Amino acid sequence: MTTLLFLAALAPLGYLAFRLGRGKALQTMAAGISMHSRPQQYGWYSVVWMGLPALGVAIAAALLSVFGVIAPSRELVLIVSLVVAVIGLAQGLRAIRPEVRARNALDNVIRWLLLGAALISIITTVSIVLSILFEAMRFFREVSVWEFVTGTVWSPGDTFLEAAGRGDEVGEGTSFFGSVPLFAGTFMVTAIAMATALPIGLLSAIFMSEYATRTQRGIAKPLLEILAGIPTVVYGFFAAITVTPIVVDIAAFFGLDASYSNILSPGIVMGIMIIPFISSLSDDVINSIPQSLREGAYALGTTHSETIKKVILPAALPGVISAFLLGVSRALGETMIVVMAAGVRPNLTWNPLEDMTTVTVNIVYSLTGDLAFDSPQTMSAFALGLVLFIVTLMLNLVSTFLVRRFKQKYD
């Protein structure tokens, strides 16, 4: 409530500062005196003088309260901030003179604001990494890194297994933290999803950008993008209720034994969910290719399909790679579909018709049980998160290399 009052009071002061600063500059120019900057720039110059000190006081008070240095009352902070705003307004109006470079000052303020926004993003990323790293190091003091990375059995104790409904699978008091089955399930479902999404999404993008009429594109593109707005829990229901029985029946028709918690069903549905990401990005990339390339290809006698295969797709390859890796990142972090359709059993297998689980699903189960926060079972979630972060980072580095490798510049 105090924040809303602060913003409600600061907004009219900002409007007043702009009007007064602009008015003073106009009056000076009307007197025949040349000003360095435009009148509206002097208006914003006054707003900066008024707003930044007040915001600085409010932010400083909030930081002092968060770190426990001092706990000032909100009403006092509001009053002091408004007093500082009024003083800043008066000082800003006094500072408006013909030689003042208001435009340069505003450019510097904007530059520092943009730098601050970039630093916030960087600091947030570093904070996330450090928070995961410190907790993961606590886990690795009790469990060997080599065992965690190369182990093929994941059964972190009876309590966790009973919570998952499988308390009879291991002996009393046994704990194994081999993450290979979890990452195998993660990569398996990601591979299935991308094998579904990439051809459909890319072919859809080619159709919409190269073959569809304006009316057909206006209908097809919104319908495809609707898929991106469907909640993942709905996809989970669809995978468990509709796709899984179909997969089991088809497997039985060919004499194969498929589990009702197989990893193939959530992989297919996850691929359907990722189609609009690949389709929209690839469509934008293909449309951004210069028309001169197409016309040059046609002038050489190539057909439409040959132009797409030999000219357009190679030129769009960096963007298609980016869309593909965005879809991979989306698949690596998906949880709900796998929980609802594939279950939670860590299983190391090459058969997609068997049940498997993923890293993100196991992280959820590790952090939502009744175990103590400092137990190895709970701390394993941070270790899994750290390894998943490293895998994603390596994936981004590879994508950067590939995009630079295949990137072409056009006039």
Side-chain angles (χ1 to χ4, degrees):
M1 188 64 180
T2 306
T3 303
L4 294 177
L5 290 175
F6 173 72
L7 295 177
L10 207 61
L13 279 177
Y15 179 76
L16 179 63
F18 178 82
R19 298 288 296 181
L20 293 177
R22 180 174 177 273
K24 184 176 180 179
L26 289 173
Q27 290 178 359
T28 305
M29 295 175 65
I33 301 175
S34 178
M35 303 288 287
H36 175 272
S37 304
R38 298 179 64 84
Q40 59 267 28
Q41 292 171 340
Y42 286 101
W44 287 112
Y45 182 76
S46 302
V47 173
V48 169
W49 268 96
M50 181 277 304
L52 287 185
L55 290 175
V57 171
I59 293 174
L63 292 176
L64 291 175
S65 178
V66 168
F67 290 107
V69 178
I70 187 175
S73 87
R74 297 180 179 179
E75 291 76 11
L76 178 62
V77 172
L78 175 61
I79 294 172
V80 173
S81 299
L82 294 179
V83 170
V84 171
V86 173
I87 295 174
L89 171 58
Q91 184 62 31
L93 293 176
R94 288 182 56 189
I96 295 178
R97 296 186 299 273
E99 66 274 10
V100 171
R101 300 175 179 268
R103 181 177 64 247
N104 297 349
L106 290 176
D107 288 343
N108 290 332
V109 170
I110 293 174
R111 185 179 296 109
W112 282 103
L113 287 176
L114 295 177
L115 177 61
L119 288 177
I120 289 175
S121 302
I122 295 173
I123 292 172
T124 302
T125 303
V126 173
S127 301
I128 292 173
V129 174
L130 292 179
S131 64
I132 297 175
L133 179 61
F134 291 150
E135 299 298 334
M137 295 305 297
R138 293 175 57 189
F139 171 77
F140 288 130
R141 292 192 189 102
E142 302 184 23
V143 178
S144 169
V145 177
W146 181 254
E147 174 192 345
F148 179 79
V149 174
T150 63
T152 59
V153 177
W154 181 274
S155 57
D158 296 336
T159 304
F160 176 82
L161 293 175
E162 288 174 1
R166 296 177 290 106
D168 57 345
E169 292 188 6
V170 296
E172 186 72 23
T174 56
S175 294
F176 299 95
F177 293 95
S179 62
V180 172
L182 302 179
F183 283 97
T186 300
F187 294 143
M188 175 75 76
V189 75
T190 301
I192 296 171
M194 298 316 300
T196 304
L198 182 61
I200 297 176
L202 183 57
L203 293 177
S204 301
I206 293 173
F207 170 77
M208 289 189 295
S209 59
E210 299 296 325
Y211 290 99
T213 63
R214 185 181 298 272
T215 302
Q216 292 172 337
R217 176 182 171 85
I219 296 174
K221 191 174 179 66
L223 288 177
L224 271 175
E225 293 178 348
I226 287 176
L227 293 174
I230 298 177
T232 55
V233 67
V234 177
Y235 280 113
F237 280 124
F238 177 66
I241 297 175
T242 304
V243 178
T244 297
I246 294 176
V247 169
V248 172
D249 291 342
I250 293 176
F253 177 80
F254 289 100
L256 301 175
D257 185 18
S259 169
Y260 275 91
S261 298
N262 64 80
I263 199 68
L264 180 61
S265 300
I268 294 173
V269 175
M270 196 181 299
I272 296 173
M273 180 186 66
I274 296 173
I275 286 174
F277 294 95
I278 295 179
S279 176
S280 295
L281 290 176
S282 300
D283 178 47
D284 294 338
V285 171
I286 293 174
N287 283 325
S288 67
I289 295 175
Q291 184 64 25
S292 58
L293 292 179
R294 298 178 175 85
E295 295 173 352
Y298 296 148
L300 294 175
T302 60
T303 63
H304 195 180
S305 60
E306 290 173 338
T307 301
I308 294 173
K309 289 184 293 184
K310 302 295 184 180
V311 178
I312 294 177
L313 287 182
L317 187 58
V320 173
I321 293 175
S322 299
F324 172 79
L325 293 174
L326 176 63
V328 171
S329 300
R330 183 71 177 85
L332 287 174
E334 180 54 44
T335 304
M336 185 58 66
I337 297 176
V338 182
V339 169
M340 299 179 67
V344 296
R345 185 170 78 94
N347 183 24
L348 183 59
T349 179
W350 290 100
N351 185 2
L353 297 179
E354 295 184 13
D355 52 338
M356 301 178 72
T357 192
T358 62
V359 171
T360 54
V361 171
N362 197 270
I363 290 175
V364 171
Y365 272 88
S366 296
L367 295 176
T368 55
D370 296 330
L371 300 173
F373 186 80
D374 57 350
S375 65
Q377 292 91 327
T378 303
M379 301 303 297
S380 65
F382 296 97
L384 291 171
L386 178 63
V387 177
L388 187 62
F389 172 80
I390 294 174
V391 170
T392 307
L393 178 62
M394 294 175 61
L395 186 65
N396 290 334
L397 293 176
V398 171
S399 68
T400 302
F401 170 77
L402 291 176
V403 169
R404 290 180 179 177
R405 173 68 178 79
F406 294 104
K407 185 177 182 181
Q408 301 182 27
K409 297 182 179 180
Y410 305 96
D411 295 332

